[in-house]
Amino acid sequence: MPKKSFLLCLFLLCLTVACNRKTDLYKVVGVKDGDTMVLLSPQYQQVTVRLAEVDCPEKSQAFGQAAKQFTSDLCFGKMVKLIVNNNDRYGRTVGWVELEDGTSVNKQLVKNGYAWQYRAYSKSMEMAMLEQQARQSRLGLWQDANPTPPWNFRKGERENRVENKQDKPKKKRTHRKRRRKHLDTVAF
């Protein structure tokens, strides 16, 4: 009987150590913008992470640089926990990022007014309340009288690119083709 107890205790100790290992922690090695960062995995692989359920202003948009700076100040160089939701169409990991003390980066962005709750992908009442409180307190981007949501900003950017592409005249390549033909016919 004592041998079984000893083995059980040893097993539980090993299980506890395995569960508490910090192998699930990633180091934040880059902040691309307010809601996108690069993490270094325990296996030394870089993982680009898009924060779930939030949408920060684009870098070229009002408060875009401030959102990036906020995210950087909050977590750059720190060890974080990654809770993966899925992958997006760009191959990025979409998920929640928490500091070692349990602070959610996603929630802090919304709470401090540097991100919208991304309602197309989030139905969280807590996130909605955090955004509402930031709006009422006029924090971050809510200082602006009429901030443009990033999804509308991106839509406008896409429409401008399409219009600009249609306005540009197409380049003529006839000169190059004639020259190639001429070089093909020259005998050496």
Side-chain angles (χ1 to χ4, degrees):
M1 189 71 171
K3 188 175 181 181
K4 285 183 181 180
S5 296
F6 174 74
L7 288 175
L8 181 62
C9 287
L10 184 61
F11 173 76
L12 291 174
L13 178 65
C14 290
L15 185 62
T16 302
V17 169
C19 290
N20 289 332
R21 282 184 19 206
K22 295 195 177 202
T23 56
D24 65 338
L25 293 180
Y26 294 70
K27 184 171 185 170
V28 180
V29 295
V31 176
K32 293 186 174 192
D33 58 27
D35 53 29
T36 308
M37 60 183 65
V38 180
L39 306 181
L40 188 63
S41 76
Q43 296 78 27
Y44 302 103
Q45 299 293 317
Q46 287 191 357
V47 180
T48 301
V49 176
R50 170 69 169 78
L51 297 177
E53 299 189 33
V54 301
D55 202 3
C56 289
E58 297 297 317
K59 285 188 285 190
S60 60
Q61 191 178 357
F63 291 94
Q65 290 297 327
K68 178 181 177 180
Q69 188 64 52
F70 179 84
T71 301
S72 184
D73 291 345
L74 186 62
C75 62
F76 182 76
K78 295 182 181 174
M79 299 303 288
V80 297
K81 182 177 179 182
L82 173 62
I83 302 149
V84 177
N85 284 12
N86 55 31
N87 290 314
D88 68 9
R89 63 182 174 186
Y90 304 108
R92 300 177 298 191
T93 299
V94 178
W96 288 80
V97 173
E98 292 180 355
L99 302 177
E100 284 186 282
D101 67 3
T103 301
S104 168
V105 175
N106 307 49
K107 290 178 184 177
Q108 288 300 309
L109 280 162
V110 175
K111 181 180 179 178
N112 288 280
Y114 291 106
W116 277 259
Q117 175 192 20
Y118 205 170
R119 287 187 186 87
Y121 300 100
S122 172
K123 304 300 180 215
S124 166
M125 289 303 296
E126 182 182 8
M127 293 293 274
M129 289 175 58
L130 290 172
E131 181 181 312
Q132 187 58 37
Q133 290 169 352
R135 282 177 187 246
Q136 290 171 344
S137 300
R138 300 187 56 79
L139 299 175
L141 63 89
W142 303 113
Q143 296 170 37
D144 193 339
N146 191 21
T148 302
W151 51 89
N152 289 345
F153 183 82
R154 289 188 294 268
K155 182 180 176 185
E157 291 289 306
R158 280 191 301 270
E159 289 170 356
N160 286 341
R161 281 194 302 271
V162 169
E163 288 174 11
N164 289 340
K165 190 174 182 179
Q166 292 172 349
D167 292 345
K168 285 185 180 179
K170 291 187 177 182
K171 293 181 181 179
K172 294 183 181 180
R173 295 184 177 194
T174 56
H175 178 69
R176 282 184 165 179
K177 287 180 182 176
R178 273 191 246 142
R179 185 170 184 163
R180 279 192 204 131
K181 283 183 182 178
H182 173 70
L183 290 174
D184 290 342
T185 60
V186 175
F188 291 100

